[in-house]
Every structure is written in structure tokens, then in C-alpha cells.
Amino acid sequence: MADTVAAIELKGISKSFGPVQANRDINILVPKGTIHGIIGENGAGKSTLMSILYGFYKADAGDIFINGKLTPIPDSQSAIRAGIGMVFQHFKLVQNFTVLENVILGVEDGPLLKSSMSKARKVLADLSREYELDVNPDALIEDLSVGHQQRVEILKALYRQAEILILDEPTGVLTPDEADHLFRILKGLRDQGKTIILITHKLREIMETTDNVSVMRRGTMVGNVKTSETSPEQLAELMVGRKVLLQIDKQPATPGEVMLKIENLRVRDIAGVERLKGISLEIRKGEILGIAGVAGNGQSELLGALGGIQNATGSVTYKGAALPLSGKGADGRTRRDIGIGHIPEDRQVLGLIMDFAAWEDMAFGYHYLPKYQKNAFTMDNEAIKADTAAKMATYDVRPPIATLAAKSFSGGNQQKIVVAREIEADPDVLLIGQPTRGVDIGAIEFIHKEIIAMRDAGKAILLVSVELDEILSLSDRIAVMFDGQIMGFKDPKTTNERELGLLMAGVSGEAGK
Amino acid sequence: MTKLPTWADVVLVPVISLLLAAFVAALVLLAIGQSPIQALNVMVEGALGSAYGWGYTLYYATSFIFTGLAVTIAFHGGLFNIGGEGQALLGGLGVSLVCLYLPMPHWTMTLLLAMLAAMVFGGAWAAVPAYLQAKRGSHIVITTIMFNYIAAALLIYILVSVLRPTGSMDPASARFPDAVGLPKFHDMPFLQDLFLKYGPDGLLKLSKEGLPTYQRVPANVTFFIALAACFGVWRLMWHSRLGYEIRAFGKQEKAANYAGISSFKIIMIAMILSGAFSGLMAINNVMGQAERLLQNSAEGAGFIGIAVALMGRNHPLGVLLAAILFGFLYQGGASLGLETTIPIELRTVLQGLVILFTGALDIMVRMMLGWFFVPKTATAKGAA
């Protein structure tokens, strides 16, 4: 590898946002034709670094070399010209365009689309053959699964002749099978001489896929190692700066009485499509019921119906009394009043008002409580701020500045704000959706401990997660959802990823694959 | 885009936008063969150079404060209320009905009733589009625009067929009784001396009874109500539970739903409040100045409120300052028409330019400023 040129070399990159130094003197060297992992806690500066490389931000200092040549990248157009392609965590696709239309969007050859389309069709056919990147070029994006949409993003980059591909947390939304497929594609691309930068927080992916790995912590690069010469434990320690427990330490559950009894729960979306097709389950005091499943199989609707966000039919009994599922009493506020807390799946869309200050968000959903009021009209902003400062200290939210806007916090710290708010409200039932999505290892460990502590305090917990590791390590019982139904219940001690993966794909136990 | 420091965002951006607008206005003046310097002098002299000028500037500003606040409240709820004009017209109707049919022995009592009526009428006029938005998803921008036309037509009908005094040819209501007239600035003991009339000899002009006489200005007690309204809206938006819920809903509707904030409730309340503030404007122009209901009483103030809110960054303090600026443009523009050969329509051009630069091209100014701010912070960091 010594004789190859570096596809990318970053020298002395620094970037600060006001008082926050997101990148401090970063040096990194990515040899051509390798898969290079970048890991680090949320807020460590990975995304900033990649944004600089892709021309979204301009570095305060430092140089970028592409293939050994000094290449300034003032905007993403220049990045594309330099052969850099980016696959974002949140796809940038036009939902009601076909695959082909999305691929040529912005690089059409002329005012008429016909020639570009037929050219792209040919290129796409070649690429699919070469790299297992098969997608129907005439399918609408909205009809594609998440895994296929991601392939379209990769195809888009390749169509623009990207030699360097950056993938930001690519497996967050994929099933284990889809993730495996993605990694096969990436390895194929590497073998054809492409360079791949993989940003992830999943140590297993780093170990399985990458050739080299760089570790970032608080804006600095703390390690560049060959993957073959390191271990997950060592990487985790580098990331967090201390020893991390990768395995959760928990006692067996002692389930008590049934808190929430769900029978034949059904939800229809606006288009009238049934998203939840008769779910029945029970959640007991002092247990964590994990819901495994690929995103979009009704988990969101289940949380929505129980959290009072979405109308549903069927029957839900809470503490022995019927819970209204639509109309009066079926709203988030009433749910909180009777002791049902909810950490929503999407903190940026549901859990937080991103433009609000942290203190305003720390009271969000509980802002009407008497302890936050001065009088009938005025809120006690000072009391909320004091309360926020205390919670930020307990939950180690960084930076602990109550007046900072929620959007200025890293994903992990945003999540800690939500978790702090919902756990400190001391609910009897806690609905949790994707508690650690986009959250760094240090914060994951913390949030997991809090969830276990809630269980041990006798709360009933419904945990929805697309991370099988998380479901397996936290749950006391596992229900697998597919297509709005429950495929089966499993015991985490006796099941495994393979078995759950099959159920998640809608294959019942005996049928096999 | 680079994030500007707060002071640059709040002070520098509007000031530069204004200068740009003034620059283009100067070009327009040059093009029609007028002197921009002279025009500026006349405007400043006419609008700000005397207590008399201020008496008009603040009168216009008062109306714009109300309509600006109205747009602000709705905006925080994520609703674009373009119906200020119609709501102000209806507010005027409410005010007129009180002044004509329920006059109280003292103007303060009539004022309270008239304010109530203005808010109820303006709020009700906003409630219909709000309901349509909340329940049926009809877009509030479209419906409020339509309601402006309906309001204008309704008002003509009422003026011609109901309120017009018999024998009058004018589509206007009867004059309000004298007892309901609001005190103008020149009536107020503590401001009165500013408006003393002097003769050409430099001596006080005296009335037949030998008392000093005063210049009459339309600015009236409503200005102080407008100031209180600014404070009230600030308290409402940033210190009350309702304001918190309105802002939460306006920023992220889905999150508000998660928190159990009813979207129906917020849309209705925010729009009714917004309409109520638009309606309150009528206290200033109908009760305070015209003292009868005229056909086009709102005179476009409802639309100017949009520009005022935009320029004032949807903050009551900003709205206050922007309203005074637009008051200046209105009165200064009128002086141009009176004292120079520049046509009064130039006032509309000026407003247009100010709206264009402070509202629509605001991002351009920000971007240009961004270039100045980036290297500065970068070098500062480099040196450190």
C-alpha cells in the first residue's frame, strides 16, 4: 500500500463555530483503493470534517489534497468535480421521481431529457451488473425500500464519476441482510479502485469492513490505526477516552402486574392504508418489552397510538381502565397526565423544537405543570431554567448551557435532553423509540443504564429499536414486527440475530429462507 | 451560509438594507430629474423636523404597529395572515357601531367598548379562515386574501345600505358624537406646548378668546395603547404558556402534536388574536382620526403590517421601530407631494423598495455580510 497515492489527505484542518471548536488540527491520510472508517462520539466533529471535505463548510485553516494535489473545496460543486460523492444519512432524493430521473438530476446533458435518460439507463445497467447495485431504473423512489433508496444514492454518486465515496452512518435504517449487502457493494467498489470513507458509530461494521480506521474525540484526531491491528474495546476506549462497557450489565427482570394491555390495535394512515393490523401484547411492571423490526413496519404507529399522537382502534387497558384511542383524551398531554411517558423515535421532528432553547425544550410537553407557572398567564421561565440546569448536570448534557438552541447540540446531547425530560417526569409506562439512533457510544451506555434503572424501579417499558444489538441486550422479552403485525415473541436469552432477522423479513420460523 | 453575530443580524442587516433601498430610490429620483438630497431633506423635515410632522408620523406608525403585531402573532404560529386589511375594515365597523349606537358619557368608557368591538369583529373575521385551515386544510394565505375582498364588499354594502345617513351621497357613516372623540396629542396637557401655533411674526397665534391655539395632528391616545400592545405581545409570546404553545406549534407542528398541543386550538387562537390586533387598528384611524366610518378606512395598513413584521423580525420591539420607519415614509412621502414637484406616488415606490430590500432581498444582504464576517473570525482564530 505504500506505493499508492493518497486519495485524500487532510492537513491541519481546523474549524470552529463561535466558541465551539468542532475540528482542531485534523490530519488524515486515506490511501487510494481502501475503505477508511471514521468513528467518534456524536459531536466529535466527524460530520463537520466531512462537510468541509464536501464543501458545505469552509475550514478556518488547513489544506485538502486530492490524489496528491492541493484542492480547495469552496462548495459541493467543486467536491463533485474533484470526484467526491456523498451518501447522506438522510437521503436527498426526490420522492416522486423515478430512479433514473433522480440519477440524472442536475447533470442532464441538455434541455431535453431523452438522450441523458438513455445514457443513464446504460450506465446504470453496467453499474448494477458490476457491483450488485440492482435497482429498477423506472421505479418511483417512494415505492422503494430504504435499502434500495440508499443504492440510488450510491448510483447517483457513481454516475457523477465519484472516485471517493463518503457514507454517513449508512446502516442506521437497514436490516442486517441489507447492511451485509451494502458492505458487499462497498468491498466491490474498493476492489475496483474506489476509495470509501465510512462514518459510523458501530464498531462491528468498522471491524468487518474497513482497512484503516481513524478515531475522533472532541474535535481532534486521537488515533489512526490499521483495522487488523485493533479491537473494538480499544476503539471504544479511544473514542470515549475511558474504558466503556460494551456489554450491558443487568439483573434478570422481576415482572409485576400488567400495566398496559393492548388488544387488536389498528391504525390507518391518511391514505387509508392499514399500518397496524391488529396488534395484541401486554407490558408488565418492571420489564422491558423490545419491539424488533425494520423501520416502517408499524413501530412508529404503535408508539404514536399509545403516545396519543395518532388515532387508532382496538382496545388498550392501562392500569385496568380503558385508554381512549381517538377523540377526547387521546392526546399527548392526557397521556402524560396519567403517567405514560414517551421518548419519541425522531427527536428532531417530534421530541424537540429545534429552534427552541434547551430550557424551553426541557419543559416541552410538561410546560403546563404547576411547578413551571408563575400565575395563570405567566410561565416561570426562571424555574424552568433552574430545573434545566439541574437535569443537564445529572444527565451530563454538553455543553451545559440552558439558553443554547436545541439544534446547536450534537445528536447525542439532544437525545439526552429528551431522555432527561421524559425520565425525570417519572412515568409509570415509558414508550421509547430508537433511544440511541445517531447517538455516540458514551451516551448510549448512559442511556441504556437509565433505561435499565427505570425498569428496576418497577416501570413498564416498551422499547422500539431497529438496532438488533440494542433489542437483544436490553429487552426482557422481544416481539418482532413485520408489516403491521407481530410475527412472534422471542426470549432474548435463547434467540439470535439470524432468527430475529428472518422474522423481521416476514419469514415465519418454520418456513426458512 | 455563515451565521452572523446577533448584533449584526438585528442592527446591521436592516440598516444596510435600508441604505440600499435609499440608494435605489435616489437613482429613481435622478432618473425623473429630481434631486435626491432635496427629497431626503423634505422628507426628514416634513416627517421628523417638527412636532407637527411627528404628529402625523406617529399616527401612521400607530396603525402599522397594530397590523405589524397582528402579522407577528400569526407568524409565530406558522400562519401567514395576509388578511389584516379586511380584519381592520371589520374592526372599523365594530368601532363605528359602538361609537354610533353605544356612546358612553366619557370617552374612556367608549374607548374600552370600542376596543372590545374592534377585537371581536377583527377576530371573528380571522376566525373563519382559521377554522377552514384547522378543519378543512384550506390554505390560510388564500382564504385571508379572499376575505379581504369580501370585507371590502361587505363594508360598501353596509355603508351604502345601512349606515349611510339619509340624504347623504357619500358612502360613509354619520359622524360620531363629539363625546366619543379621542384626545389627540395636541389635546394632551403634557404634550400640548409642542403644538403651539405661531404667526409669521413669531408670536403666538391667539384665538378670539385670547387663548393660545394649537396645530391639529391626528396622532392620538391610541399610540400609547399601541405601545402597551407591543409590551403585551412580548409578554404573551415569550412569557406565557399560550405564547410558548403558539411558538412550538409554529416551529414544528408534529412536535406540538406529540406534546399534546391541539393544533385546532392554536390555529384558532393565534388567528383570532391576530385578527383582534388588526381590528384594533381601527381605534386609531376610525375613532381617533376620521371619526366616522369611511369606505376604505384601512388604507392599506393591513398590508404594510406584513412588511413591518418582516422588517421587525417578528419581534414587538422590531415591529415598533419598523412601524415608525414606515410612518416616516408615509408622512415624508406626503410632504414630497405637497412641497415638491415629485409626485406623491413616489411614496409607494419608496415603500416598495424598502419592502423589497428589507424583506425579499434580506438574504442577499446577509450573504454579503457573511463574507465580511467569515475571514475576520478566521484570522482572529489564526492569530490566537
Side-chain angles (χ1 to χ4, degrees):
Chain A
M1 211 164 285
D3 53 329
T4 51
V5 228
I8 297 175
E9 187 173 8
L10 303 179
K11 278 190 185 163
I13 298 279
S14 291
K15 172 77 188 173
S16 37
F17 298 99
V20 185
Q21 183 130 27
N23 282 164
R24 192 193 311 262
D25 193 25
I26 301 283
N27 294 299
I28 194 172
L29 195 143
V30 182
K32 199 168 158 52
T34 61
I35 299 181
H36 194 105
I38 295 185
I39 53 168
E41 293 195 276
N42 266 69
K46 302 173 307 231
S47 300
T48 306
L49 188 64
M50 289 307 118
S51 298
I52 289 172
L53 188 52
Y54 200 61
F56 280 156
Y57 297 136
K58 202 173 159 340
D60 297 338
D63 295 313
I64 301 170
F65 294 85
I66 308 281
N67 296 324
K69 270 212 308 276
L70 178 63
T71 316
I73 301 184
D75 50 42
S76 40
Q77 297 307 320
S78 328
I80 292 170
R81 269 199 303 277
I84 300 174
M86 183 116 172
V87 176
F88 293 93
Q89 193 172 1
H90 302 283
F91 307 144
K92 312 228 182 269
L93 297 170
V94 183
Q95 289 291 313
N96 52 357
F97 270 21
T98 64
V99 171
L100 213 50
E101 286 168 328
N102 267 286
V103 166
I104 63 165
L105 185 65
V107 288
E108 309 90 350
D109 294 325
L112 295 177
L113 294 180
K114 201 162 175 220
S115 68
S116 322
M117 293 277 252
S118 52
K119 185 179 120 196
R121 189 181 295 278
K122 223 179 121 298
V123 176
L124 246 50
D126 291 345
L127 288 172
S128 331
R129 236 191 340 272
E130 220 170 324
Y131 302 115
E132 278 192 76
L133 272 164
D134 35 311
V135 210
N136 173 8
D138 298 311
L140 287 178
I141 295 297
E142 56 196 4
D143 297 336
L144 294 181
S145 72
V146 190
H148 278 82
Q149 291 188 22
Q150 191 174 52
R151 283 180 214 170
V152 178
E153 284 283 15
I154 296 175
L155 284 170
K156 258 172 69 183
L158 294 178
Y159 187 73
R160 285 158 180 72
Q161 267 130 30
E163 287 299 314
I164 299 159
L165 208 56
I166 305 171
L167 293 103
D168 188 6
E169 300 281 357
T171 58
V173 287
L174 305 181
T175 61
D177 267 352
E178 285 175 319
D180 286 346
H181 189 138
L182 172 70
F183 292 133
R184 276 204 306 281
I185 294 171
L186 294 184
K187 283 176 179 161
L189 288 167
R190 172 192 62 189
D191 296 341
Q192 297 290 321
K194 310 261 184 207
T195 309
I196 288 152
I197 296 184
L198 182 67
I199 303 171
T200 177
H201 64 272
K202 293 181 190 167
L203 293 169
R204 193 166 51 87
E205 293 173 1
I206 290 283
M207 297 308 293
E208 280 173 12
T209 327
T210 61
D211 301 306
N212 300 297
V213 53
S214 297
V215 187
M216 291 187 72
R217 184 168 78 226
R218 297 201 185 174
T220 57
M221 194 60 83
V222 292
N224 281 301
V225 288
K226 270 199 160 50
T227 311
S228 51
E229 293 165 6
T230 186
S231 67
E233 287 74 17
Q234 192 198 353
L235 289 177
E237 200 180 326
L238 273 173
M239 274 166 73
V240 186
R242 62 181 161 82
K243 285 222 178 296
V244 182
L245 280 175
L246 292 178
Q247 212 54 46
I248 295 161
D249 185 26
K250 65 166 189 177
Q251 303 300 313
T254 47
E257 68 210 72
V258 174
M259 289 294 280
L260 209 52
K261 188 174 169 63
I262 301 167
E263 281 167 302
N264 194 24
L265 189 67
R266 288 170 189 274
V267 169
R268 277 179 196 283
D269 65 12
I270 304 168
V273 179
E274 197 161 55
R275 294 286 173 186
L276 220 52
K277 301 173 178 171
I279 296 277
S280 300
L281 47 82
E282 288 178 356
I283 309 167
R284 292 171 178 274
K285 255 184 150 164
E287 74 161 355
I288 298 175
L289 174 65
I291 306 277
V294 180
N297 277 289
Q299 303 97 312
S300 309
E301 286 78 6
L302 177 61
L303 287 174
L306 295 177
I309 300 174
Q310 204 154 18
N311 286 340
T313 57
S315 99
V316 176
T317 320
Y318 169 68
K319 288 182 178 171
L323 197 65
L325 294 173
S326 64
K328 202 168 154 47
D331 60 81
R333 178 168 165 174
T334 315
R335 290 289 200 273
R336 284 183 187 83
D337 279 341
I338 59 174
I340 300 179
H342 183 185
I343 297 174
E345 286 184 299
D346 193 335
R347 57 180 167 264
Q348 302 199 343
V349 172
L350 291 181
L352 296 167
I353 306 282
M354 298 302 278
D355 287 327
F356 269 14
W359 68 267
E360 290 176 295
D361 270 321
M362 199 60 103
F364 190 53
Y366 300 94
H367 55 275
Y368 58 86
L369 291 181
K371 64 174 173 174
Y372 294 143
Q373 313 303 316
K374 224 178 234 165
N375 54 45
F377 180 75
T378 321
M379 281 170 85
D380 193 345
N381 292 353
E382 295 315 312
I384 302 177
K385 281 177 193 165
D387 189 60
T388 303
K391 283 177 188 159
M392 283 180 135
T394 319
Y395 286 78
D396 189 28
V397 178
R398 277 176 277 168
I401 306 172
T403 49
L404 201 62
K407 63 183 172 199
S408 307
F409 288 87
S410 69
N413 284 302
Q414 286 170 2
Q415 187 70 353
K416 282 185 189 169
I417 294 177
V418 178
V419 169
R421 181 182 74 205
E422 298 301 325
I423 288 186
E424 290 299 308
D426 196 30
D428 294 326
V429 170
L430 186 55
L431 313 168
I432 307 177
Q434 319 299 351
T436 56
R437 176 185 280 173
V439 171
D440 50 79
I441 294 196
I444 289 176
E445 185 192 19
F446 182 87
I447 291 171
H448 282 175
K449 273 186 186 159
E450 290 297 327
I451 294 174
I452 300 283
M454 285 291 278
R455 180 201 74 170
D456 292 344
K459 314 293 184 186
I461 294 174
L462 179 74
L463 170 71
V464 169
S465 176
V466 291
E467 305 277 355
L468 269 186
D469 293 347
E470 184 164 74
I471 291 287
L472 279 165
S473 58
L474 285 180
S475 311
D476 301 308
R477 279 189 305 139
I478 296 174
V480 183
M481 272 183 83
F482 172 75
D483 193 25
Q485 286 164 308
I486 289 184
M487 298 296 291
F489 290 88
K490 294 282 167 193
D491 182 342
K493 287 195 268 310
T494 57
T495 187
N496 56 43
E497 290 207 5
R498 219 39 311 150
E499 188 181 29
L500 293 177
L502 284 177
L503 286 174
M504 282 162 65
V507 185
S508 327
E510 62 276 9
K513 200 180 176 185
Chain B
M1 203 161 51
T2 327
K3 198 177 172 318
L4 299 175
T6 316
W7 69 269
D9 190 58
V10 176
V11 181
L12 216 49
V13 171
V15 168
I16 291 181
S17 305
L18 267 183
L19 289 178
L20 282 172
F23 176 71
V24 177
L27 292 183
V28 172
L29 282 166
L30 285 175
I32 59 171
Q34 299 281 354
S35 154
I37 306 278
Q38 189 213 354
L40 183 69
N41 278 336
V42 170
M43 284 184 75
V44 171
E45 182 54 38
L48 311 173
S50 62
Y52 179 75
W54 277 99
Y56 276 87
T57 300
L58 289 183
Y59 162 70
Y60 292 124
T62 305
S63 292
F64 302 154
I65 290 173
F66 282 118
T67 51
L69 289 177
V71 175
T72 294
I73 295 170
F75 179 87
H76 281 293
L79 301 158
F80 198 9
N81 179 12
I82 304 197
E85 189 75 7
Q87 291 144 17
L89 285 179
L90 263 287
L93 178 61
V95 168
S96 303
L97 293 179
V98 166
C99 290
L100 288 171
Y101 300 113
L102 282 172
M104 294 282 145
H106 194 264
W107 64 267
T108 46
M109 294 156 76
T110 321
L111 176 63
L112 286 179
L113 270 185
M115 284 174 65
L116 192 68
M119 295 177 80
V120 168
F121 274 64
W125 202 248
V128 183
Y131 184 84
L132 292 174
Q133 163 89 64
K135 282 286 177 202
R136 322 236 4 134
S138 317
H139 204 287
I140 202 110
V141 168
I142 311 287
T143 45
T144 50
I145 290 176
M146 297 199 303
F147 264 64
N148 285 337
Y149 291 102
I150 303 175
L154 178 70
L155 215 67
I156 291 177
Y157 166 75
I158 289 180
L159 284 176
V160 170
S161 309
V162 184
L163 289 182
R164 182 170 53 95
T166 25
S168 165
M169 303 281 282
D170 196 13
S173 77
R175 188 161 284 284
F176 302 157
D178 282 343
V180 310
L182 294 178
K184 314 278 197 296
F185 278 13
H186 58 256
D187 297 327
M188 298 174 189
F190 55 99
L191 289 175
Q192 213 165 29
D193 290 349
L194 293 171
F195 298 99
L196 283 171
K197 253 189 202 168
Y198 292 92
D201 47 5
L203 293 173
L204 275 182
K205 262 194 179 170
L206 298 181
S207 66
K208 281 186 213 121
E209 293 84 32
L211 295 169
T213 51
Y214 300 97
Q215 291 174 310
R216 300 183 61 82
V217 292
N220 57 70
V221 70
T222 320
F223 176 68
F224 301 104
I225 301 174
L227 290 183
C230 286
F231 180 74
V233 168
W234 175 69
R235 290 288 294 177
L236 169 77
M237 277 302 154
W238 285 279
H239 291 269
S240 82
R241 201 163 56 244
L242 178 61
Y244 179 95
E245 294 190 351
I246 290 177
R247 286 185 297 123
F249 176 80
K251 296 274 188 209
Q252 258 159 274
E253 190 176 336
K254 279 185 174 169
N257 182 22
Y258 153 80
I261 297 170
S262 151
S263 53
F264 178 74
K265 188 182 109 185
I266 296 297
I267 291 176
M268 290 305 288
I269 292 182
M271 277 305 286
I272 288 175
L273 269 177
S274 176
F277 273 89
S278 289
L280 271 180
M281 182 202 126
I283 297 292
N284 186 45
N285 64 343
V286 175
M287 190 177 178
Q289 201 255 337
E291 299 188 348
R292 60 188 181 138
L293 186 60
L294 297 167
Q295 186 191 328
N296 182 23
S297 64
E299 285 179 333
F303 295 113
I304 292 188
I306 298 170
V308 165
L310 213 65
M311 187 171 180
R313 297 271 177 281
N314 290 295
H315 189 284
L317 184 61
V319 165
L320 173 62
L321 296 175
I324 292 175
L325 171 78
F326 274 84
F328 158 74
L329 288 177
Y330 242 63
Q331 172 56 16
S335 309
L336 277 185
L338 281 175
E339 295 177 27
T340 67
T341 50
I342 301 171
I344 194 166
E345 284 74 22
L346 193 85
R347 163 164 104 170
T348 320
V349 174
L350 278 175
Q351 282 164 21
L353 287 170
V354 169
I355 294 172
L356 181 71
F357 278 95
T358 58
L361 296 182
D362 170 273
I363 293 190
M364 181 187 79
V365 173
R366 253 159 232 279
M367 228 162 68
M368 293 191 306
L369 274 179
W371 298 332
F372 285 104
F373 278 96
V374 171
K376 221 188 261 172
T377 42
T379 43
K381 282 271 142 51

